Amino acid sequence: MISKLFNPWVGGILLAAILSAIMSTIDSQLLVSSSALTEDLYKKLFRRDASQKELVLVGRLCVLIISVIALYMALNPNNTILGLVAYAWGGFGAAFGPVVLFALFSKKTTWQSALAGMLVGTLVLIVWKQAGLGSMMYEIVPGFVANLVTILLVNLVVPQHNDEILREFDRMKAGLNED
């Protein structure tokens, strides 16, 4: 569109502006992902006493691994930006949608049911997409439903015993009923 509507000089400036916005977003996402993997996963789960030098090395390795995965995804000719974004949003919805709803509306929800629901919802989304069923129904729907059912079932098996959560839920409910 730019090449058809604008002079080549102006078109070049506009394309450079678009490319710079894309590059800015990409490098920010790489840094956030690397930092989250390094601090929240590696340091907390694997090496609590890791040195700063070790964390920097792990962070750089994470950037490299994420970049290779992104390159692999980008080289697939069947992938489109819209398709990748829809898949990512489907993943967010299938993994976190029911968890947020249950956290807001059910005091029975435990961390075990939330974790189980997130894992099952994500797994169903991936299997649905890989099986080629995405053309029949957007993969968020079966993932969301599987997450929802999993949380319901685990809530029946693992009851909420955390008194602090139960009190806070009742306090919030009472506050809402006053209005």
Side-chain angles (χ1 to χ4, degrees):
M1 183 174 90
I2 288 174
S3 67
K4 296 207 184 294
L5 294 177
F6 295 99
N7 166 316
W9 287 93
V10 175
I13 292 170
L14 291 173
L15 288 173
I18 292 169
L19 187 58
S20 68
I22 291 169
M23 294 301 291
S24 171
T25 302
I26 289 171
D27 76 1
S28 297
Q29 292 299 319
L30 270 172
L31 289 174
V32 167
S33 300
S34 169
S35 182
L37 289 171
T38 302
E39 292 293 327
D40 298 338
L41 193 65
Y42 182 77
K43 187 174 181 181
K44 289 187 179 172
L45 294 179
F46 300 114
R47 298 246 319 154
R48 291 185 189 273
D49 59 341
S51 69
Q52 192 62 33
K53 187 176 181 179
E54 183 180 350
L55 293 175
V56 169
L57 178 64
V58 170
R60 289 178 179 167
L61 287 172
C62 287
V63 166
L64 185 63
I65 291 167
I66 293 167
S67 298
V68 169
I69 292 169
L71 178 64
Y72 172 75
M73 291 173 70
L75 291 175
N76 184 348
N78 296 326
N79 284 344
T80 64
I81 292 174
L82 180 61
L84 291 173
V85 169
Y87 189 45
W89 278 112
F92 284 131
F96 301 116
V99 174
V100 170
L101 293 174
F102 273 91
L104 290 172
F105 299 109
S106 173
K107 66 181 177 182
K108 296 178 181 181
T109 306
T110 62
W111 70 266
Q112 294 95 334
S113 62
L115 180 61
M118 288 175 11
L119 292 173
V120 169
T122 302
L123 184 65
V124 167
L125 173 113
I126 292 169
V127 169
W128 192 270
K129 176 77 170 177
Q130 295 304 317
L133 300 172
S135 60
M136 291 176 28
M137 180 187 301
Y138 184 33
E139 50 271 359
I140 191 175
V141 175
F144 190 95
V145 170
N147 186 337
L148 192 92
V149 170
T150 302
I151 291 174
L152 282 170
L153 293 175
V154 174
N155 278 347
L156 293 174
V157 177
V158 181
Q160 179 64 266
H161 293 298
N162 189 326
D163 290 332
E164 183 180 342
I165 290 176
L166 294 170
R167 280 193 308 273
E168 184 176 339
F169 190 90
D170 290 337
R171 192 171 46 247
M172 290 302 296
K173 189 174 180 182
L176 290 173
N177 288 339
E178 288 177 4
D179 295 335

